[in-house]
Amino acid sequence: MEGYKTFLILLVSSLLLGLILITFAFVWIFVYAEGLGWDGSNPEFNWHPLLMITGFIFIEGIAIIVYRLPWTWKCSKQFMKFIHASLHLIALVLVAVALVAVFEYHDAKTIPNMYSLHSWVGLTVVILFALQVVVSMIVYLIPITPISIRAALMPVHVYSGLLLFGGVIATALMGITEKLIFSLKSPSYSSLPPPAIFVNTLGLLIVVFGGLVFWIATRPAWKRPPEGINKSSPEGAEVGAASEYSNTEKSDMELNSETARKRNLNLDEAGQRSTM
């Protein structure tokens, strides 16, 4: 791997930062909030930020970069697909529980549902994420989709995954701000009491974690190498197509070069005859 030391530093940093995010979430809930519960009270709501940070940010971030781990490159691509899909499913389960917690809390407190921008964006991201997981498992884990379609959908799969992760980060920041505004009354959020400083710091750390995941996931030099030119896989098909194009381009260049050489020889011969 090119730039292995840099990759390792960023990977370790992202893992440590992810664990710090979860630790911050626990401190927020048990020190500055009212802990955890499941009785329609404030502690039930606290499951929402904890599970969202753990599942939708940390685990989902690891799922995005798992293909980049060089010590897994000796594993089969199919095995890594199952690992990738399993992490997504774990994240999806945690997100589902987090949604149940917040809706039950709102109903118990007679708080309206789905009125804020945070809820609109958040539910949209969750629905699209669930669709992404289901469609991707059908396309890439079950060998029924034609290879050409799988190869064509791969760029869309990668782009939509990163786009949704960015949406998760944005939704989390909106949710944190909304929660602090509603929960901090005396002293108010605008006076920046210790809970506000602490949770604002959590928001900044989420942004940094997202930035590390995006950087690791988008560096071409850290991409998992293809398992040879294998037409039975979308990656192999893409590599094969690229190789065929490269060979065709090379042949065309050689043909053009040969044509130009012959033309120059003909011109030289014509010039020699004209001087005789």
Side-chain angles (χ1 to χ4, degrees):
M1 171 186 279
E2 180 181 345
Y4 175 75
K5 290 184 178 179
T6 302
F7 170 83
L8 196 59
I9 291 172
L10 294 180
L11 176 64
V12 172
S13 299
S14 62
L15 293 175
L16 290 176
L17 188 54
L19 295 176
I20 290 173
L21 292 180
I22 298 174
T23 303
F24 264 60
F26 272 103
V27 173
W28 176 19
I29 289 168
F30 285 99
V31 175
Y32 296 111
E34 302 174 37
L36 296 172
W38 201 274
D39 55 0
S41 61
N42 291 336
E44 181 171 355
F45 173 87
N46 292 338
W47 283 105
H48 183 72
L50 177 62
L51 294 180
M52 285 296 184
I53 291 173
T54 302
F56 229 2
I57 295 177
F58 178 63
I59 295 179
E60 181 61 18
I62 300 304
I64 290 174
I65 63 176
V66 70
Y67 279 119
R68 300 296 172 117
L69 306 180
W71 44 88
T72 67
W73 290 353
K74 293 182 179 180
C75 301
S76 69
K77 186 69 176 292
Q78 191 68 17
F79 175 75
M80 294 310 300
K81 285 181 181 179
F82 278 109
I83 298 295
H84 183 66
S86 298
L87 290 171
H88 284 310
L89 285 175
I90 293 172
L92 186 58
V93 170
L94 294 181
V95 168
V97 176
L99 288 179
V100 171
V102 73
F103 277 112
E104 285 194 2
Y105 167 77
H106 280 186
D107 292 340
K109 296 291 185 178
T110 64
I111 299 173
N113 290 306
M114 301 304 300
Y115 67 90
S116 66
L117 180 61
H118 166 69
S119 61
W120 287 16
V121 176
L123 190 59
T124 300
V125 170
V126 170
I127 292 173
L128 293 177
F129 175 71
L131 289 174
Q132 164 97 336
V133 171
V134 173
V135 172
S136 299
M137 290 181 66
I138 294 174
V139 172
Y140 295 108
L141 286 183
I142 304 176
I144 60 175
T145 306
I147 294 175
S148 58
I149 295 179
R150 293 162 67 187
L153 289 178
M154 182 57 71
V156 179
H157 173 75
V158 174
Y159 173 78
S160 59
L162 291 175
L163 179 64
L164 289 175
F165 187 66
V168 169
I169 300 296
T171 304
L173 298 181
M174 288 188 288
I176 287 173
T177 303
E178 183 180 297
K179 180 60 178 176
L180 290 176
I181 291 174
F182 290 157
S183 62
L184 296 179
K185 299 298 183 181
S186 181
S188 65
Y189 182 33
S190 60
S191 65
L192 208 64
I197 296 175
F198 184 85
V199 181
N200 280 353
T201 303
L202 171 61
L204 290 176
L205 294 178
I206 288 174
V207 173
V208 175
F209 177 78
L212 289 174
V213 171
F214 270 98
W215 185 262
I216 293 173
T218 56
R219 295 307 92 196
W222 298 342
K223 183 178 180 180
R224 175 187 173 96
E227 298 177 348
I229 303 175
N230 181 2
K231 298 298 184 179
S232 63
S233 67
E235 189 173 11
E238 291 174 357
V239 173
S243 177
E244 290 172 5
Y245 174 79
S246 177
N247 291 336
T248 301
E249 186 178 31
K250 182 178 179 181
S251 298
D252 290 342
M253 292 176 62
E254 291 174 349
L255 180 60
N256 292 336
S257 177
E258 180 66 18
T259 302
R261 187 180 65 82
K262 291 180 178 179
R263 186 184 301 114
N264 291 334
L265 288 175
N266 291 336
L267 290 175
D268 290 341
E269 291 176 358
Q272 290 174 3
R273 292 194 188 99
S274 64
T275 57
M276 292 176 62

